[in-house]
Amino acid sequence: MKGKALIKTCSVVLAAALWAVGCSSSTGDSPSTAPSSSATGAKPVEITFLTYDGVKNKEGQSLRQLQVDAFNAANPDIVVKLDLQQGDSVEFLKKLDLMSLSGADYDVVALPSFKDYAERALKGLFAPIDEFIVAEGKSYDDLYQFNSEVNGSHFGLPYNPSIYFVLLNKTMLDAAGLPVPPLDWTWDNYREYALAMTKGEGANKVHGSYMHTWSEYRREALFNTKLDNPYVKDDGSSNIADPVFKEWLQFVYDMENTDKSQVPYMNAKSTNMAYRDVYFSGKAAMILTGAWITNNIIDLENFPHDFQTVFAMMPRWKDGPAGRVTGSATYNAINAKSSKKEAAYRFMKFISGDGAKVANEFSAMVGADNTATVNAIAAGNEALLHKDSLLAVWNHPDLEPNEITKFPEQFAALDALFNVETEKYLLGGQNLDTTITRLIDQFNKELAK
């Protein structure tokens, strides 16, 4: 038994070590030449930026490489080397966790969400950065729109923030005689739009709406009615008895089974539908998704389509506040073992602020100019992207991105329970009352641990 455990442990460490070696020769490495001396004659500090994010602009240029190049040009005393790992964020996180066992060398690392960032900050993987913020004579909240606090300290900085909004196929919108939705529209209005744009039968049917298989689409109304973690109250007790959970699940079920205006969850799950393909191929007239999709809209090489996309606010749930939407950000953090933390912090701050303009992304800084970013993205792409509606969303006077930051250590376990039980409901395996009853019981047990 001990022998098997030892073999397993050695295998994990070996895998981590091998991957760490692979990092040094990754195809995204930069710069390709050795760093030169700075103007003072001192050799520049070299830091490594480890990321999974290989997004490119329409010219085929890596957005992260553009940011690295811009930072290096403006900071001759620092040279950032980009280590771009191929694959999606899920696989990257698995590799990152293996790396932590081998002590692999990197200085700054990208994390796809607050949850992923906080989980690893709690394990001691990242260095606190509060001393650098204090040295600027500012507070964190003075500088950044998205939180990064974990157990009273900040270990990273947000960048490339995203809000959820609705994408509408303008050709289908016009055919149904519908206007661009108002900024304060509700989910009932969304349902009306979906029904009006649904047409056809069988394999040729076009649904008015598609919601992806992620569990968050089974609790979207909560992002409008409750701030932060929808599963847990501020006192740490379960919030699953909140009636909005039940109301929203019924709403989604009715769109799929009564109206038949939304792609059924069973179809999406069984065929492993990709939400981008569903929308860009014209199989659904509307989808709710995050702002990261904006660059996909103008990427005809990978997402060919011939219609313009109109943007609408994420709808309100009944009397919920207009402007409060699902929000998220990517995070950069500094390796706790890095010996170059000050240089790493300067690079992270650049990515969160001025570096956003280099990549035509939205800044995570307070007071950022969203108009300039929208104008840059829309330039030359007006036939694909409806600029005025996108500007209206990003410049909503009461825009309030709602991000999950509280109780991150409990979120993953509760979300897994929620995913299993609500999936049973949408697949017809149990009724709604049973679903909620089981969730109440399971949540209480989990939070009592």
Side-chain angles (χ1 to χ4, degrees), residues 167-169 172-173 190-211 252 254-268 273 278-279 281-287:
L167 274 60
L168 301 95
N169 181 318
M172 297 181 184
L173 190 70
Y190 179 95
R191 184 175 177 179
E192 294 165 357
Y193 268 58
L195 191 58
M197 290 189 286
T198 299
K199 61 182 181 180
E201 296 292 339
N204 295 321
K205 182 168 185 174
V206 174
H207 288 87
S209 170
Y210 175 79
M211 290 189 190
V252 173
D254 288 345
M255 283 191 68
E256 293 181 9
N257 296 281
T258 302
D259 300 353
K260 301 187 186 303
S261 62
Q262 179 160 286
V263 177
Y265 180 84
M266 180 180 293
N267 293 6
M273 287 184 180
V278 173
Y279 177 70
S281 68
K283 293 296 184 182
M286 292 189 298
I287 61 168

Side-chain angles (χ1 to χ4, degrees), residues 262-314:
Q262 179 160 286
V263 177
Y265 180 84
M266 180 180 293
N267 293 6
K269 185 74 174 180
S270 63
T271 60
N272 196 28
M273 287 184 180
Y275 64 94
R276 291 177 176 87
D277 293 342
V278 173
Y279 177 70
F280 290 120
S281 68
K283 293 296 184 182
M286 292 189 298
I287 61 168
L288 172 72
T289 191
W292 59 78
I293 201 172
T294 308
N295 283 323
N296 301 146
I297 294 171
I298 59 178
D299 181 4
L300 293 181
E301 180 179 350
N302 292 303
F303 304 99
H305 61 286
D306 59 0
F307 59 85
Q308 187 184 50
T309 289
V310 167
F311 301 83
M313 291 297 300
M314 177 174 161

Side-chain angles (χ1 to χ4, degrees), residues 212-379:
H212 200 41
T213 54
W214 298 334
S215 60
E216 65 190 76
Y217 287 98
R218 282 162 263 156
R219 49 180 164 81
E220 285 296 353
L222 275 296
F223 283 100
N224 180 248
T225 59
K226 183 185 183 302
L227 283 172
D228 214 288
N229 192 331
Y231 295 141
V232 185
K233 296 179 181 178
D234 289 344
D235 62 5
S237 62
S238 170
N239 189 52
I240 198 65
D242 186 323
V244 177
F245 277 107
K246 185 175 182 178
E247 293 170 0
W248 175 254
L249 287 168
Q250 184 68 62
F251 177 84
V252 173
Y253 183 91
D254 288 345
M255 283 191 68
E256 293 181 9
N257 296 281
T258 302
D259 300 353
K260 301 187 186 303
S261 62
Q262 179 160 286
V263 177
Y265 180 84
M266 180 180 293
N267 293 6
K269 185 74 174 180
S270 63
T271 60
N272 196 28
M273 287 184 180
Y275 64 94
R276 291 177 176 87
D277 293 342
V278 173
Y279 177 70
F280 290 120
S281 68
K283 293 296 184 182
M286 292 189 298
I287 61 168
L288 172 72
T289 191
W292 59 78
I293 201 172
T294 308
N295 283 323
N296 301 146
I297 294 171
I298 59 178
D299 181 4
L300 293 181
E301 180 179 350
N302 292 303
F303 304 99
H305 61 286
D306 59 0
F307 59 85
Q308 187 184 50
T309 289
V310 167
F311 301 83
M313 291 297 300
M314 177 174 161
R316 296 183 295 115
W317 182 250
K318 298 183 178 179
D319 295 327
R324 183 184 292 170
V325 301
T326 304
S328 64
T330 313
Y331 286 79
N332 282 323
I334 300 174
N335 187 347
K337 297 179 181 179
S338 172
S339 61
K340 308 162 187 174
K341 295 183 178 65
E342 184 176 359
Y345 175 77
R346 284 171 56 187
F347 174 66
M348 288 202 312
K349 185 177 179 182
F350 174 81
I351 295 296
S352 296
D354 290 342
K357 300 174 184 177
V358 177
N360 287 339
E361 293 175 339
F362 295 96
S363 171
M365 306 292 285
V366 171
D369 183 3
N370 293 324
T371 300
T373 299
V374 171
N375 286 338
I377 294 171

Side-chain angles (χ1 to χ4, degrees), residues 118-161:
E119 178 184 344
R120 289 158 182 83
L122 288 168
K123 294 178 180 178
L125 267 64
F126 308 136
I129 60 171
D130 298 280
E131 62 177 298
F132 300 115
I133 298 173
V134 171
E136 296 181 59
K138 299 281 187 178
S139 72
Y140 181 92
D141 292 339
D142 289 335
L143 298 170
Y144 301 99
Q145 291 181 314
F146 288 76
N147 186 32
S148 78
E149 184 176 326
V150 179
N151 278 359
S153 297
H154 299 91
F155 297 87
L157 296 180
Y159 77 96
N160 192 18

